[in-house]
Amino acid sequence: MKAIQPLDIEINLEQALEFYHAQENQFQDQKWSGPGEVCSVDNSADGVYGWALHTLNDPSLPYHMYENPHEIDHSKYAKTVNCVGWGEKVYSYFDKSYRGLIVVSPPGTYVQPHTDIPSKYKIHIPIVTNRDCVWILDEGEWHMPAGKAYLLDTEFLHGTINRGSTDRVHVILEIQKDQINSFSHTGKI
């Protein structure tokens, strides 16, 4: 397998954008920002922000993307109060996933190439992107167009850069490799 594999899952971008705009307009109290104190990689990601779909804490409190990064048992996570509408469909579709997030990477965001623990994949669902948002991989740069879901093998070297003039908005979920067949790899969300 290569680092990124497109899944045959079609995304309803209209509903996904409605969900994202609901986060921006109705759930500012759930928003987290910045890479957080536990991020050990030196990135240019101070402007990154987003919302959690999963939490290990009180579902009514914000949950930062790097909070408790080592808990991999999906059954310990609960749905957040802002996981509504299309976000709830994503949560249900990938029911063995954990650490689900909406991540907004403004122009200039750079995530240094790195590897993660070899036992997991990340599922990326681009909602808003531009051609200048690319993945930096061993095999070169790769753009993830909106409208599909993608499987990222985090055991491979991977990083991102937004060279564009617009935000990059992705829904990101983690799933253990032994749970990869727990959802249909074809369908619509």
Side-chain angles (χ1 to χ4, degrees), residues 47 59 70 72 93 171:
H70 304 293
I72 62 172
Y93 194 91
V171 169

Side-chain angles (χ1 to χ4, degrees), residues 91-123:
Y91 183 92
S92 296
Y93 194 91
F94 299 107
D95 66 341
K96 301 286 193 247
S97 69
Y98 57 96
R99 294 180 50 71
L101 306 159
I102 306 164
V103 179
V104 180
S105 301
T109 299
Y110 171 71
V111 176
Q112 182 174 317
H114 62 283
T115 58
D116 295 334
I117 61 171
S119 64
K120 72 177 178 183
Y121 290 119
K122 286 187 179 177
I123 299 164

Side-chain angles (χ1 to χ4, degrees), residues 128-135 141-146 150 161-168:
V128 177
T129 190
N130 65 69
R131 291 291 307 154
D132 294 318
C133 292
V134 294
W135 286 89
E141 292 186 354
W142 199 76
H143 172 69
M144 230 181 236
Y150 302 84
I161 188 164
N162 183 354
R163 295 184 191 113
S165 59
T166 59
D167 289 343
R168 169 194 168 211

Side-chain angles (χ1 to χ4, degrees), residues 23-87:
Q23 303 303 303
E24 288 278 6
N25 296 321
Q26 300 168 19
F27 295 104
Q28 283 293 309
D29 61 328
Q30 297 298 311
K31 184 177 175 180
W32 53 264
S33 63
E37 294 177 11
V38 300
C39 182
S40 61
V41 180
D42 186 20
N43 296 316
S44 296
D46 290 341
V48 171
Y49 65 93
W51 297 264
L53 300 177
H54 295 120
T55 185
L56 290 168
N57 302 328
D58 180 337
S60 67
L61 298 175
Y63 189 72
H64 193 280
M65 72 181 285
Y66 285 109
E67 197 171 333
N68 301 313
H70 304 293
E71 181 55 65
I72 62 172
D73 182 354
H74 70 88
S75 68
K76 292 184 178 180
Y77 286 84
K79 181 177 71 169
T80 59
V81 294
N82 54 299
C83 184
V84 297
W86 180 83

